[in-house]
Every structure is written in structure tokens, then in C-alpha cells.
Amino acid sequence: MIATAESARALADAVRSGRASARATTETARDRLRAAHTTTGALANLDDSGALEAAESVDAAVARGEDPGPLAGVPVVLKDNLCQRGRPCTCGSRLLEGYRAPYDAHVVSRLRAAGAVLLGRAHMDEFAMGSSTETCAWGPVRNPWDPSRVPGGSSGGSAALVAAGAVPVALGSDTGGSLRLPAAFCGLVGLNPTWGRVSRRGLVAFASSTDRIGPLVREVRDCARVAGVLAGPDPLDATCADRPVPDWEAACEQGVRGLSIGVPRAWLGDAETAVTDALEQALSALAAAGATVRDVPLPAPDLALAAYYVLAPAEASANLARFDGIRYGHRETDGDLEGLYTTTRGRGFGPEVRRRVLIGTWVLSAGYGEALYAQARRAREAVARGLGEALEQVDVLLTPPAPTRAFPLGTRRDPLAMYNTDRCTVPASLAGLPELAVPWGLADGLPVGVQVMARAFDEASCFRVAAAIEAAAAPLSPPRLWTAPGTA
Amino acid sequence: MRVSRDTVRHLARLARVAVAEEDLSALTADLQGILGAAERLLAAELPEVPPRTAPVTLAADVARRVDPEPLLATAPSLRESLFALPPAVPQGDRDR
């Protein structure tokens, strides 16, 4: 939790009770977003008029004695891969420059129905492919704690704007760590929900078998509230489970007495000391709060990482085939139809997307690539089975979200070094399990966090553990690029 | 497994992604490194498993009618209500 920041819950409750106006809240957030953008480069665009109109309708509902919903008047930023009707949606790519989404994503409709005010859109790694938000076609995003460092990725724009105090809530997406890494690097709470918990309709697909949508916020209970708004069935997304959504805000109050927490120490491998220290301190705090802690014998996630970087590019190469200059976005004309395809995609995709599309094309080819793909699929099942067995012995697993804290911009140019950033997040991605990243503290002025993985559809245990960690951790002093009152 | 410049040219052709000649060397080295690292999978002893299609049971896929106009409006080029394209077969081939 970042000290001095107002929570989404407090804002919504003030608007619902008429103590604050949604319009004034929106204007304040708009000014802070502009300020945060000048220092972080995180904002893709603002929707001033749309947001003010939405805020006025929230205020009018309150004036009529109606309840606008659990996020009444809360300013929200969306990652730029979530469709919002009539708004640009570039996915951080030149290929979608000029594209405006023709419909609202399911989560966007849910936010509107809950009274949230959609104020802007945040930059991201191109098509969500990256761990640092350095592959965005409009330049890298900077970390509010230290602008010479990355905010994590791929939802780094969303994270930077929340960490800078501009808005209390942003949505991101997570395929191999894209919510959990920015949460860890920016001192935020980020939930990657169970695969199937939140509809992906209107999320531009990267790797459909692991893509998910979740919140980036400053407090665990805000995360519970926003996740509760996002989750639930959607008849127009066949991959969205028809399951009841528990009261996660209530789960935050349950404590951890009686919960068992497993630690796969083999995952710590080459993690820096600040990261392992945070994990040990969080474990001690959980034990003091009544949880039992034990080691679980899971192997280092090397196989998971290798499998992910075969399977995700394979799915990406198929999903991104639709970006051919015919139906959306940017088009380059060069002679015949094939020239149009190859030139549009060659100029539209940046280097990382191009690498992954070619890797995916290779592993989906007959012969050697096919053997690699089949073996990656087997490895995925082995990872899922291993996690499933561990989660029969314990209620949750506690691990670091990343082996390091936020690293300096431009220092992981080797793709393999960048991919290694995801080594602790890809296992839950491959297995479809929920995982929640929560800050523990600061080390040398940089946030360091932990993450809680639970059984499928047991986000409630993630929230119980995360709330206990938040209660035990010292509030973080605001970051250097803080835009709200109370700057350190 | 060795990735050559010709391999990369071939993949780029399959993926319909133009790659400039001056980018080929770096891209070849990148792909060699990434695929080389992925090869550790081949050494692992892993049991055969049925293909996973989804980690949860899929709901019925419900089709619905939508207004095509907003979807067509996103196209870079339209001719009436059709996506406009350059010729699929080059002029010279059509004349033969």
C-alpha cells in the first residue's frame, strides 16, 4: 500500500454518499494523468469529454437518490489492448495506428455499469509482448519510483499511472506475467485471475490459452472490489466460466489462521537478495499471523519458461495473422495482395513482435518445430500437474514475482535475458491458476513484492494472504514521480 | 538445430512479414538463441498427454447477429460494403 493515497473504495463511497462529486474527482485525476504522463510517458490518450459526461451522469444518479455502483465516480485507465467503443486501441503497435474499437470489451461494460469513469488509455509493450514496456511503438514507459528504470511489462503504462497517484485503478492484461511484474516493479497490487474467471471478449488476443484481464491498484481491498466487478460469466465468451463470484472484500477480513503456505525454494535460484529477503520476511509475518509455512519440492521453473516461450509465440503467430492491413488499422500498399500483407506487417510490427511471430511460425511448421511444440505442450501439462499436486498439500504458494526489482531501461536487450524476467510468473500462466502480486516494501528506494498462487477459482485464498501481508508490511512512502497531494 | 539466413527468409515468407536484408543477420542470431534455449525441452523426459484445449470447460459458443457497419468502418479501404484490395493475381499473370 502506498501511504497518503486515496483508495478507490473511499472515493466511490464518498461519491455514493454525495460527499464528493464524480466530476470534480474526474477533473483532478485528469490533471494528475497529464502530469504523470510528462514524466513517465505512460498515457496513450485521454478521453476528457467522454469521462466528464460519464462523471456527470454518476453525479446525476446520486442526486436522484440512486446508487451508481461499487466504483461510483472512480477514475480508471485501461490498457491499450482493451476495446472501448469509439476510442483508439493501438496495442502499442504502429499496425493499429488509427484503429478505433467498434464495441466495448465485456470488462469495459462492467466497469461502466459499476459507475467507473473511463478516463484514458495506457501504453503497453507492443501486443503485450514484453516484460518492461520498452517494446511500445511510442517509446518506453518510465517507473515512477525511478524514471531511469522500467515499470515492468507488459501492462507498464497502467502500472506507472496508478503508482504515480494519478488514478486509483487501471486494468491490464496478463499472458506470462504482464500484471504481476508491473505490480512488483511499481509497488502495486495486481491480480491475474483464474483463466476463465473474467471474460476476454474485447481483449486483443496474444496467446489465448493464457491471456487474462485483471486490475492494478494500490491496495488489496481495492483489488478485491475491482476484481469483483470484472468477474463473472459472459455468454459471448465461451471460455468464461459460469461460476459464482465470492465476496472477495469479505475474504480480505478473514485472516490467515489455519491456512498453509508452500514455498518452492528451488524457484529462488538467481533471485537478488532484496527479493529473497522480502519473501522470507513476508513468510515470517504470515506465520506470526497464524498461517503454517512449509517448503514444497517443486523444480526450478526452467521447463515452464522454455515451454511458455514456445507455446505463447505459437499462439501469437496465429492470433496476429488477422493483422494484415485488410480489416483494421494501418495499411501499406505495395503492388499485389501479398505485397500488401508483407509490407503492412513488416513495417507495422516492431522487432519483438516480429521475432515472436517468426518463432511461432517455426514451431507450428511440420518437422523439427512440430516436435518442439509437442514437447512444450507436454511440459505445460507436467508444470500444471506439479502445481496441482503441491496445491493439494498446501492452500497457496508464495514466491517472488520476479528475480529482481525494476531494472534500468535498455539493459536487457538480449531477448533471453528479458524472457528470464518471467520465470516465476509463467508457471501459474501455463496452469491457468490465479496469482496475486502484493508489495512488501522498498529496498534501496525500489519496490519489492511477493505473489500468492492458489487453486483454480480460489482467488479468495489469494486475497486472505495478500491482506495479511499488506497489514504486516509498512506502507510505502510515495514514489518520486507522485502526482497526488502528500508528495514525499 | 541451426537457424540460417535462408531459414529466416523462409519463415518471414510464411508469416507474410517483410524483413529487410540488413536485418537478417541480427534476426537470425536472435532466433538461433531463442530456439536453442527452447531445445532443452527436447532433452526432458515427459509423458504423452492429450492436447489441452482449455483449462476450464467451455461454454456453448453462442452466435449472434451484429450490425456490420461499425465493423466495416474500421477497414483502411472500402468499396461500398466490401473490403477493397489490390489484385490477388498480379496483372502480368492475369494476362497470360
Side-chain angles (χ1 to χ4, degrees), chain A residues 79-81 89-97 99 123-130 135-138 154-155 173 175 178 203-207 211 308 312 316 319-324 328-329 344-345 348-350 352-354 356-357:
Chain A
K79 185 175 181 177
D80 203 20
N81 60 355
C89 180
T90 71
C91 298
S93 181
R94 294 278 176 205
L95 210 146
L96 282 177
E97 198 168 7
Y99 172 72
H123 280 318
M124 54 183 280
D125 276 306
E126 185 176 6
F127 286 109
M129 296 179 196
T135 74
C136 179
W138 285 274
S154 65
S155 309
S173 66
T175 302
S178 288
L203 168 70
V204 177
F206 159 16
D211 287 345
Y308 176 81
N319 272 328
L320 270 59
R322 71 191 59 167
F323 300 113
D324 56 8
Y328 329 94
T344 297
R345 289 163 62 81
F349 290 150
E352 181 59 22
V353 173
R354 185 170 64 178
R356 295 207 200 183
V357 165

Side-chain angles (χ1 to χ4, degrees), chain A residues 152-475:
Chain A
S154 65
S155 309
S158 298
L161 294 168
V162 177
V167 286
V169 178
L171 293 198
S173 66
D174 191 318
T175 302
S178 288
L179 282 159
R180 292 159 286 166
L181 295 171
F185 286 6
C186 290
L188 301 178
V189 179
L191 172 69
N192 187 33
T194 308
W195 195 94
R197 183 58 105 176
V198 173
S199 166
R200 285 102 45 85
R201 177 162 56 92
L203 168 70
V204 177
F206 159 16
S208 306
S209 78
T210 68
D211 287 345
R212 302 177 222 172
I213 300 167
L216 282 161
V217 293
R218 294 186 291 254
E219 298 184 18
V220 173
R221 285 166 179 78
D222 276 1
C223 188
R225 180 167 297 190
V226 178
V229 167
L230 303 180
D234 172 11
L236 296 176
D237 177 358
T239 66
C240 189
D242 185 6
R243 295 176 68 115
V245 178
D247 182 347
W248 289 322
E249 284 186 78
C252 292
E253 312 305 329
Q254 285 176 4
V256 291
R257 189 160 299 282
L259 275 186
S260 56
I261 294 165
V263 190
R265 291 195 184 276
W267 288 25
L268 302 181
D270 55 356
E272 62 180 12
T273 310
V275 167
T276 53
D277 284 354
L279 183 74
E280 298 301 341
Q281 290 160 14
L283 286 168
S284 299
L286 290 168
T292 57
V293 175
R294 55 180 284 197
D295 290 1
V296 291
L298 283 167
D302 299 322
L303 215 53
L305 191 64
Y308 176 81
Y309 276 100
V310 170
L311 299 173
E315 294 186 34
S317 74
N319 272 328
L320 270 59
R322 71 191 59 167
F323 300 113
D324 56 8
I326 304 296
R327 287 161 295 165
Y328 329 94
H330 184 67
R331 171 185 289 192
E332 299 267 351
T333 47
D334 186 10
D336 60 7
L337 183 61
E338 185 157 336
L340 184 157
Y341 290 151
T342 57
T343 313
T344 297
R345 289 163 62 81
R347 292 187 188 155
F349 290 150
E352 181 59 22
V353 173
R354 185 170 64 178
R355 269 193 290 272
R356 295 207 200 183
V357 165
L358 296 190
I359 293 281
T361 303
W362 166 262
V363 301
L364 293 178
S365 306
Y368 192 85
E370 186 182 19
L372 200 59
Y373 180 82
Q375 192 71 345
R377 191 170 59 68
R378 292 184 196 105
R380 176 184 198 165
E381 295 308 315
V383 169
R385 199 169 47 245
L387 291 175
E389 286 167 5
L391 288 167
E392 284 172 11
Q393 298 163 35
V394 293
D395 294 308
V396 300
L397 297 176
L398 202 74
T399 62
T404 67
R405 291 159 293 160
F407 48 87
L409 288 155
T411 52
R412 293 197 185 165
R413 295 193 191 282
D414 172 10
L416 289 173
M418 185 64 83
Y419 298 170
N420 195 49
T421 311
D422 307 346
R423 58 187 289 108
C424 294
T425 48
V426 292
S429 296
L430 292 174
L433 301 176
E435 194 158 56
L436 193 158
V438 58
W440 174 253
L442 297 176
D444 302 323
L446 293 175
V448 59
V450 296
Q451 60 181 3
V452 193
M453 189 196 310
R455 299 173 196 120
F457 296 101
D458 186 22
E459 287 86 354
S461 290
C462 295
F463 281 114
R464 286 177 67 185
V465 173
I469 290 171
E470 186 178 68

Side-chain angles (χ1 to χ4, degrees), chain A residues 99-103 326-328, chain B residues 64-75 77-78 80-83:
Chain A
Y99 172 72
R100 284 176 184 264
Y103 66 100
I326 304 296
R327 287 161 295 165
Y328 329 94
Chain B
R64 57 172 180 154
R65 256 180 211 293
V66 296
D67 176 10
E69 287 306 319
L71 303 176
L72 287 167
T74 64
S77 178
L78 279 179
E80 295 171 8
S81 62
L82 302 169
F83 296 116

